[in-house]
Amino acid sequence: MNNSFAQNLKELRKENKLSQKDVAKIIDVTQQCVSEWEKGNMEPTLSNLWRLADLFDISIDALIGRTEF
């Protein structure tokens, strides 16, 4: 996974007018976890990728930057 995931996550979150805390609560992780993903310091588990993709109604491929969303 590359930094396009971090950029895509931040962009999608802002487009949907969600805070890091909002995203964390919805997918059941900590706000710190979302922050670290957006900084590119950590990568989400596959189950968290599924939750994020479902939240933003996009494919995992789009979320991680393999395709346009």
Side-chain angles (χ1 to χ4, degrees), residues 13 19-25 28-39:
R13 179 178 59 76
S19 68
Q20 289 180 345
K21 188 174 181 178
D22 294 333
V23 171
K25 186 174 183 178
D28 197 28
V29 296
T30 64
Q31 181 272 327
Q32 180 70 23
C33 196
V34 176
S35 174
E36 292 299 312
W37 293 340
E38 288 188 1
K39 291 178 194 172

